[in-house]
Structure formats: C-alpha cells, structure tokens
Amino acid sequence: MSSATEVHGLNGASSTNGTNGAHDGLPPKGKRVVVVGLGMVGIAFIEKLMKLDAKRREYDIVVIGEEPHLAYNRVGLSAFFQHRRPEDLYLNPKQWYSDTPDGALNYHLNTLVSEIRPNDKVVITSEGSIVSYDYLVLATGSEALLPRHTPGYDAKGVFVYRTIDDLVKLIEFSATVKGTTGAVVGGGLLGLEAAKAMMDLEEFKKVKLIERNRWVLSRQLDADAGGLVVDQVRDLGLDVLLSKRVGRINVNEENHVKGVTFEDGEEMDCSCICFAIGIRARDELARAAGIKCAGRGGGIVINPDLSTSVPNIFAIGECASWESQTFGLIAPGIEMADILAFNLTQAKFHAPRKFKRPDLSTKLKLLGVEVASFGDFFADRDGPKDLPVRRGAVKEEIPKADGIRTMTEGPPPPPVKALSYKDPFQNVYKKYLFTLDGKYLLGGMMIGDTKDYVKLVPMVKNRKPLEVTPSQFILGAKGGDDEGGDDLDDDTQICSCHNVTKGDVVKNVKSGTCKSIGDVKSCTKAGTGCGGCMPLVQSIFNKEMAAAGAEVLNHLCPHFAYSRADLFNIISVKKLKVFEDVMKEAGKNAESLGCEVCKPTIGSILASLFNQHIIDKPLHGLQDTNDKYLANIQRNGTFSVIPRVSGGEITADKLIAIGTVAKKYGLYCKITGGQRIDMFGAKKQDLIPIWTALVEAGMESGHAYAKSLRTVKSCVGTTWCRFGIGDSVGMAVRLEERYKSIRSPHKMKGGVSGCVRECAEAQNKDFGLIATDKGFNIYVGGNGGTKPRHSEILAKDVPPDDVVPILDRYLMFYMRTADKLQRTARWIENLPGGIKYLREVVLEDKLGICGELEKQMEELIGTFFCEWTETIKSPERRAQFEQFGNTDETIDSVEIITERTQQRPANWPKESAHDDFRGTKWSSLTWQPLVSASKFVDTATGSSQNVKRGDTQLAVFKVKGKYYCTQQMCPHKRAFALSDGLIGDDLQTGKLWVSCPYHKRNYELSGDSAGKCTNDDTVNIATFPVEEREDGLVYAKLPPVEELDGVLGTQKWKVKKGDSGEDPFKKLDQKLKGLKGRKPIDHSHLTEGPAKTVKVGGDGGGLDW
C-alpha cells in the first residue's frame, strides 16, 4: 500500500468526536507493543504492563480501538440505560491516558486495523496508516451473533446487545415504539441482562424473553436451577417463552419488525427484537494474516504463554482459543492479560507463567435473582474434567466408555456424586458435586442463597480433602446470614428490655416450643421491647433451627415472601412509590394492610429511592412515631428535638438560639455523643413553633429521629490542633452536608479524625476517615450497639476529591443490599468475602455497577429538603401536630420531676397496668360524638386520632372505611400512645391489630378477641363500638364520663415519681455524700451567692449581658 504513512506514535489526546488523534512523529524510546483492541482485557493488559514496566521503561505502548469510546465496562453495560453517559462506564477517566509517562502510552480511537503484515512487523489501519511493532497483542474481543439465516434479520427494529452504540440505537428506537411489546432472543446471562435493560427503559408495555431450551442460563445451570430462575423472573414481570425457536421475523411494507413466527408455526407480535444468542471471536484479522485459528467456534489459537503461530504476536481475551475453547467471561481474559504482562517484563528474572484451565465460576444477580456456579459445575452431566489426587497417590485416569457396552447399555455414569437441595418456598436451589468417596468438592451451582460461594470456590481450587461430610455443606450453609452469637455464653443477656438471655432462646428452640421468630417473641418476650436486640435474637434462632435441620426464612414479614434487599430491587425496578402498589406487586395478599415490621421498612425504601415527604398522606401511615412526627418520642409522650450541627461545628449565634428555644419551652438539654445538642420534653403541639424558631436562626432538621445519617463527628484537625495533619472539620462538614437526610436500612454514623490520635473515634463508625500526609484512610463497618465492632480499612491514602465517590458507592451498595435493621457491621460480615469483596465491588467495580451507584446517590442527595421547613410551610402538615383531634386542651400523662436543675419525666413504672380493661362491665353505653370525620384520611395504611372525653384519652382508627375505638393507654408502661401505633393485619385469620409505638405490644382491634394483646397475655385494652354518621361526626358507644374516667382516666394512670420503685442512686449518693468539689448548681463557682442570670432577648428584644 504505497499510500500508507508510517506512524511511530499516536497522540493520547484524541479529539472529542472520536476521530483519530494527531500523530506526534517521534520514534519510540523502547520496544513498541501494539495492542489491537481497547476493551476490558486490552486495558487490563496495558495497566499491568505499565505497572510492571514502570522502573525499567522497556516498552512503549500504542493501542488502537475500533470504537469511538475509551475502554469501558462492558459487564456493567446495562447501567447505561439509567445514566446515558458513556464516560460513566469508562474504566479510566480520559485524564488517566494523558497522565501516563511521556511516550509510554498512545491511543487511537474510532480506528479499524484492516491488515497485519507479520513479515514487516506492521499493522495497517483502514485509513492507510502504518504502525510498526516489536510485539503485537490482539485483544479484538468478540462480536454478537446475529442469525443471518433467519428471514427478516436485517429489519428495522432488530438489535444486538454488545456495545454502547448498540444500546444508543436501541434507546432511540424504543422511544418510537412506545407502548408496544419488545422481545429478547436468548436466555443466557446477556439475554437476561438485555431483558432487564429493556424493562428499565419503561418504553415497552411488555418485554418477552424467548429461549430455545427448556430453561434459562443453560450454560451455567441444570434444569432444576434454571426452572427456578424462570419462576422468579416471571414473578418480577418478565414474560418468558421456553422451547421456542425463531423461524422468521415478520415485517411490514417498510421493513419494520411487526412480530415473529416460531418454528412450530406459532406467531407473536412485537415491534423490537434484541438478539443475545451468543458471541463469535473476532479472528478475521488474524486469519487474513495467516495466523492459525480454530475451526469450529473460531478464535486465534494460543499456546500456554499466549503466543500465536506467528512469532511476536499474542492473543488474549475472547478472541483467543485455548485448547479449542474461547471464553466469554471477563475473568479468563484478565488472567491472560496478567500472564502476558508478567512474561514480557519478569520472565527474565522468574519462570514464565502459563495459562491453565481457567476458573469459570460466576456469581451475579440477574433481575434480583442471585445465581452462582463454581468449579466443574456440570461434572455430573459431562463427566469431570479433572479429578483431584491425594498426596502420594497415583493419578487416577477417568475411565473411558466401552463402545459396545455404550451402544447397548448407554454411557456409564460419571464418577461423581451430587448432593441437591431445593426449597420452592424460598426459591433456593443448591447442587454440590463431590468425588465418589465424598472427600473432594468438584463444583456446584446455587440459586437464591449464594452466601457460601466465597467459601466453596477456594475449596475446589485448592483440591484439599474435605474436613466435614458433604451433608454439612447444605445444613451448615443455613446459618450464615446472621449477626453472630456463637461466642456468647448462655447466661449472656441479649434483651435488656425483658432481661432475656441467650440460653432462654436456645432452650425454647431446642425444646420445640418455638418454631418461628414470632414464637420466640411470645415465649421469651425478646424483641418485644425496643426491638434493638432482634438481629441477635434472629441470629441465635437461625443457628439453633439450622442445627435441628429445620427451615429458616429470611422473609421481611408474613406479608412478603421477600427479603428487604429483594423488595428494594422490586420497588426500584418497577418504580413503585406508594405502599398500596408495593403490596399489590410483591405482597402475598394485594388487599393486606401490612404490619409494624414491613411498613417502616418499605417507608424507608421509598424514602431511599424517591425521597418524598414522609408525613404526607400516602407515606404517613408507614412511619413509626419518630418519623411520623419528625422527632424522637420520649417516655412521657413528648419529643426530643435535635437540629443539625454538621461536623460538630456551631456558631455562638446558633448556640444562643438553641438556648433561647430551650428556655422558652422548658426543655431539658444534653450534649449528644455525636457532638450536637438534644432538647427533650417538647410537646407535640409545640414542635412547629420550636422548629420555626430554629429554622429562622439558620438551622435545619438533624434527622435524629430517622434511620439515616445521624452525624459525622470530628476533631478540630488542622483548624486548631498543633498535631493535625488534615482538615477533619472541613471534611466532616462536607460529608455530613452531602449525606444528611438519606434513609438507610439502619442509622449511620460517621467520623473524621485529623491524625492517628483518633480523637473523633472514626474507627468505630459506619464510615470513618483518618487523615494521612497523602489524603485520608477510609474505614467502614464499625459500630457500637449490642455487639460492638471495630471498623476495617477500605482504602488508604485517598485524595480528598476521591473520598466522596468511594463513600457514594459504599453507602448506596449498603442501602441496596442490607437486610432490615441491619447495621453496616453485620452487613459487611455477611457479604460473601467480607471486606475483601466490598473492596472489589466499590474500588475495582467487580460488579460493573459503580457508575450506577454514584449516579443513584447523586440523584438522591439532589432531592434534599429540610423536613422541618417544608412542614412549617404547609398548613396540611402542620395540622397533624396536635395532641387531640377534638380539642385544643392538653394533658400531661407523666409526672415531671426536677433533677440537677432541669426537668425530666418520672421513670417508667415498675409494674404494668394488669387491670382487665377488656372485660370491664359498664353500667350503660350510649352513642357520643367524638371527632369530625374530616380528621381522618382514606389511605391503604390506615388513619388515626387521639381524642379526649372528660379525663380519658381514646384512640380512634379508620381502616379501609371502617372505624375502631380503643383506650389510648398501652397498659404495658402506661403510655398514652396507641393512636400513633402502626396498623397490621392477617387476612387469613381475619385479625387486625395496632402496635404500640413504644414497645410493640400488639392489640387486636376487631372480632371476638378485640382488646387482646397477641404478644403479652398479661395486658389488654378496652374497645368500644364506633361509627361515622351523616352529620360528619364519628360517634362511639361509651359509658358515662365519670365511670369512664374511673377506669381509664389520665390522672388515675399518670406515671408518678414513686411508681418506679426506690431511687437507684440512693445508696451511692449516701457513700459519695454529694458531689465532691462541686458547689450547689445554682451558685457561681467564682463568688459566693447565687449565680448571675444571663438574659437572652432582654426586655427590648436585644441581648442583655
């Protein structure tokens, strides 16, 4: 080609339109390695080679890419449907290419290599440019198969799923056929990914998956496992057609797809078809150059050192054929890239590495379904590829079939044994393959429960004899998804509310008394208090049930056959924004009200995804009392208020404003462990004016009431400290401002320390940073609680501008996948591979979702609003903050005592109210108007009001158009709070109940058992007939006021100082004889006499110092 020009190097700064970069005309400094193909394997080789060659600088690299994009994450291609930005998929930012050492890397985009001339050691591009090489690496990958033998394959509306450009075309076309049916042909990994992507587009009314086999994922799974996946993806809305082969693509006059005709003659309408039926190695360039390629299946034939039949030419990735096999997974390609880079740089000093049989184990989540296969997972079907050998033993040859006997008796069974487990109720399937003696694990597959994957893969690779019997692989796997408890003695207290020990739970499970977690709560009362012990209780229960060989469910509650993580995916994929839609799509009964477990969980998920105001009508009934009133409910029915103090940094003016509010409303003040100020004792009806004063002073909600970010604690760092290395306050403020308000499975706390002295205690936080001279070390997964845990390091020496992307990924991955009320500590412990796996996902983008995680977090924080401020502005929201629905009067239900000059409520009573309120014999009952029906809203989650009649407080509920009336007081702790409880139901038994917001005592509202407590038979409540009338009022059938007050009056049951028993500090105070060295609190420490009062506000409205 005389017109070709010699190209010595290519400028790394290609133009933005993807055309060729400028030629720098300089000869290479070292040996030139030309890489054809800038895909995932190509860039992995380049990175590894540059790293190993960094000191010697023997090589200059020129990479030529056919696509107009830099190397991107093809595994995470589906994320492109969400963000539509190619750069979000890039494996390295554009700057990375230009930041490499001068001459070390030149890249060329949008350029096709059309010819290789091995004798001249050059490659020629389609534009006629010549690039010389010393070593040529072919990483040309593969292309998606299109059935060109099928009539209509070239119609408008036919696509493949392989590149960014493929997706762009599919997106553009889908917008033109909105509301029609889309089809995906191929039920493999790529087909399921394509189907999910087309569903996420929300352009198609329906998406159908066409698979020629009897089940999906036939290359990874057997019939049982594949069938289970089919059932699950169908439940998620994907229509799956099995045993179907496309015979013809039907088109209209304009050659647009209008449907398909299957080989069996059946027809199906559709407007768009995406083929995901496999790939073919891109070996045409090598074939034309005379490089040896495989026949059937294609691919460039490689030797163990990755060399081809032509000297100085290598092939890696999907284009390479090793022992007549090509590999469509990324892992073998990365391994090839590592081996070749090592051999080019280190073989002079070390023995060269050889490519061996790759590990084809895979673990992924498709349409919310966890799937894994590992080792020789088809050894029972195809026979084992290789059998392990005990040390010192002679390798046993796999017996070959006798030809005559095979014809008469069939082939002999493979020398393996399979152990299978199938649970159609939990959608779990496991099959593990062992040698005939059960001493070695060969491989297996898992559906639904894949948490043992990380432990089993090394067992196969290491080929060591097993130390346990095969049966324990199934039974033992059941106890992995828990918090712990193995290291606790039986006399360890696990529930402080009810003084329940681990032994109490173990004994009841072993005896058969408790067969469900509900039984444990009923028998032992564990978890019926604050609920904080439930993860540990669940863990102990799970382990004991597994030891007994019994089934353990991880369902959210009786209303949903899904875990929290499953529901998060379902709600996200289907864009469900109200509880009613969630119940219809994913609940066991579409008409159910849910319960006190699933409602807050779903409310949290909806907030994590869509961040609408949680006290608006559709969401209000999902919230526990704290979220319902945007403040923490306290013992006496009042609330605590905590404004945001980001990073613990606050001005004097804001401190004065807080003091002014606290003094005006008589609030008890305390500094929290998270460096902010908590004001206790705010009455519900005072919350609005309290928030108004704080907001006007420049403050906002601190979200102390929510399962969300609480605080990011900081030391003063370089702001003041002479030892500070980094600006810990500045970083803490930035992080708290970024992540404030986002709802998560559990509360989150952060910390930033300015040096290793660790004054901010960052290493016991959900995320923590410690400054180094190069940036920050990032720690994750620490917390206090019932089982304290020190955090683990996620990344070292991270520059400040890289901290946020890493934390975005970490937090969003946690929010997506954690179980209900699971702290980050337990979540990381339960990840397959723990912190190592988390690093792979967050730092190395193992799952190809980092761009999507960052985008989702960016969108979520972009929806921020102060919940206090928006409530203040809305008359409808403000109306919810009143003690009674029928009067402006107020009542205190707990005696206030003074302690250390501040006021607080009396302690909980020592005894519950054990009166038989339910069985009270009233002298007479008459209909009395209570409250306007307009106070109630018709929602799928129910509505309620607290009403006052005489000195008695009553709770009135409206559920699905029907009213219920009970006493307001929960007898357990004599707390007047039932109207704020969550409503639950069981449609099978007809039970309807309200759950007390304090300690989750559940009281039935309807039927013959109305008033009965279902989880504590020592207490019950009174109920009354109630109805709405034409005058717009709600009436209840009640006894005379005096009689009602005599049984249920607030003053009768008001908690008083002496009800809690003897002062616990009485004996200690006698020993201490007062607080030594401290003068009476109301006196100055500088002069005798009373302390000088500082008036805030003054008589004239200013500050009077």
Side-chain angles (χ1 to χ4, degrees), residues 478-494:
K478 302 287 276 186
D481 186 27
D482 50 49
E483 182 179 5
D486 285 340
D487 54 346
L488 301 179
D489 296 329
D490 278 355
D491 58 358
T492 302
Q493 183 190 69
I494 59 172

Side-chain angles (χ1 to χ4, degrees), residues 13-14 130 229 275 314 336 480 522 532 539 683 907 974 991 1009:
S14 67
I130 298 175
V229 173
F275 280 96
F314 303 85
M336 291 178 187
S522 297
S539 162
K683 297 176 181 177
N907 294 333
R974 290 156 50 185
K991 289 184 178 181
S1009 299

